[in-house]
Amino acid sequence: MDIRDLRYAVTLAEELHFGRAAQRHYISPQPFGRRIQQLEHVLGVTLFKRTSRRVTVTSAGERIIADARAVLASIDSLSDPGGQQEAQGATLRIGILGFGLAEHWARFVDALRDHLSPCVFVYSDLDFVDQYEAVSAHRVDAAVVHYTEPIEGLAFERVLTMPRVAVVPAESEFADAERLSPADLDGQPWVPVASPQERLARWVGRGINTEPDRAPVRRPAAIPDAVSVTGRLSMHAAAAARFYPHRDVRFVPLDGPPCEIAVATRASDCRPAVEAVRRCARLIGLGAHD
């Protein structure tokens, strides 16, 4: 086993598609698949279930992928050799869920660079499961998250509020609706979403006519694919139609609580760099609501 095998496995767990996962590492799917098989052989467990139509993570795979993320985060946070990090300034680790701050992301990064020059920025992809835990566990210094409720030990700067949409199959009876209500969707099957937070899980439809043997979706970007493949419904923020377009699904405005996007930090973290993150988030939030 080497570190690349762990990175390949984490990427495959995110993409759930061998071709896309291999493309992210600039190798062809065949050698990528062999490395995954080799890792499974070394560990003695099956990490992924494969069929002709889909890839899913096994329960053992979920545990090992979580451990791999922690190992890789620790490795990535090590100081650069030869004092390069010291020469460039502090390192700020930022986790991002989905499309982050949408169209406001560039402004946020520019503001951070103005406040924190020189500084090295390290970005990590987050999912529904680890978006808060990554901050609490010190794997990242700040994270762009889907805010649902206060969490002990974390401070939130709410930046954006956007309407929610129902993600429905293009061939469904709901695809041409101008707007939907929860009552319109009563009794419909939903894509299960992996989330330890019950309110977030309800927001995206977990527990509403889902089947326990179906692999839950972990990443916002995977929701349209899951809807297309399963024929089930899900929810998303309105910006998903721009960031995750899919020819086989439609994004229909849906009544109900909006999506709130926030920047999360540890409440006890008063370092200047983290305070700058909070100030920049507040500035972007003010501009976004003008």
Side-chain angles (χ1 to χ4, degrees):
M1 184 196 310
D2 65 27
I3 296 302
R4 283 180 301 172
D5 295 335
L6 295 181
R7 293 194 189 278
Y8 290 170
V10 169
T11 302
L12 183 56
E14 293 171 351
E15 294 290 347
L16 297 179
H17 188 282
F18 276 88
R20 290 196 298 268
Q23 188 175 29
R24 282 177 53 178
H25 291 278
Y26 302 99
I27 66 173
S28 62
Q30 290 77 16
F32 181 91
R34 288 195 293 270
R35 295 297 291 265
I36 294 295
Q37 290 178 335
Q38 179 181 330
L39 178 62
E40 290 177 321
H41 176 73
V42 170
L43 295 175
V45 297
T46 300
L47 302 177
F48 301 95
K49 289 182 180 178
R50 306 136 167 105
T51 69
S52 59
R53 297 186 60 186
R54 62 188 303 198
V55 177
T56 59
V57 184
T58 66
S59 56
E62 290 280 1
R63 295 191 297 272
I64 291 174
I65 293 299
D67 290 341
R69 290 178 189 273
V71 169
L72 292 173
S74 297
I75 292 172
D76 292 340
S77 68
L78 293 175
S79 299
D80 294 339
Q84 179 180 355
Q85 177 178 320
E86 182 177 352
Q88 292 179 323
T91 296
L92 186 69
R93 299 167 299 170
I94 303 177
I96 306 164
L97 176 71
F99 50 71
L101 295 175
E103 287 83 2
H104 300 277
W105 177 246
R107 288 178 55 215
F108 179 65
V109 173
D110 287 345
L112 279 179
R113 294 192 186 281
D114 289 342
H115 282 75
L116 296 174
S117 180
C119 184
V120 177
F121 295 92
V122 178
Y123 300 96
S124 300
D125 289 328
L126 302 179
D127 58 35
F128 289 126
V129 175
D130 69 1
Q131 60 173 328
Y132 307 120
E133 193 269 339
V135 183
S136 300
H138 293 248
R139 294 206 304 272
V140 298
D141 302 303
V144 180
V145 301
H146 180 166
Y147 176 81
T148 56
E149 60 190 5
I151 297 177
E152 184 177 358
L154 297 184
F156 295 93
E157 296 292 342
R158 283 180 265 183
V159 180
L160 292 176
T161 299
M162 60 181 67
R164 67 178 182 173
V165 294
V167 187
V168 304
E171 301 300 323
S172 73
E173 60 185 295
F174 308 107
D176 295 325
E178 292 186 4
R179 190 171 193 86
L180 293 167
S181 71
D184 295 326
L185 307 179
D186 186 40
Q188 297 298 316
W190 289 78
V191 169
V193 174
S195 173
Q197 271 213 303
E198 200 56 39
R199 183 177 172 188
L200 175 60
R202 289 196 303 270
W203 193 93
V204 291
R206 194 191 76 184
I208 308 175
N209 296 306
T210 61
E211 297 175 12
D213 62 336
R214 291 181 176 268
V217 171
R218 295 177 63 102
R219 299 182 304 113
I223 287 178
D225 277 336
V227 170
S228 172
V229 169
T230 66
R232 291 168 168 258
L233 311 183
S234 192
M235 298 183 198
H236 225 310
R242 303 190 297 276
F243 286 88
Y244 309 131
H246 195 298
R247 67 179 184 179
D248 296 324
V249 306
R250 299 291 182 267
F251 300 88
V252 183
L254 177 66
D255 294 338
C259 174
E260 290 192 85
I261 297 174
V263 174
T265 56
R266 291 181 294 279
S268 61
D269 194 343
C270 298
R271 291 175 295 163
V274 175
E275 292 289 359
V277 169
R278 294 172 182 143
R279 287 196 301 272
C280 291
R282 288 193 288 270
L283 287 172
I284 300 302
L286 290 172
H289 292 96
D290 285 345

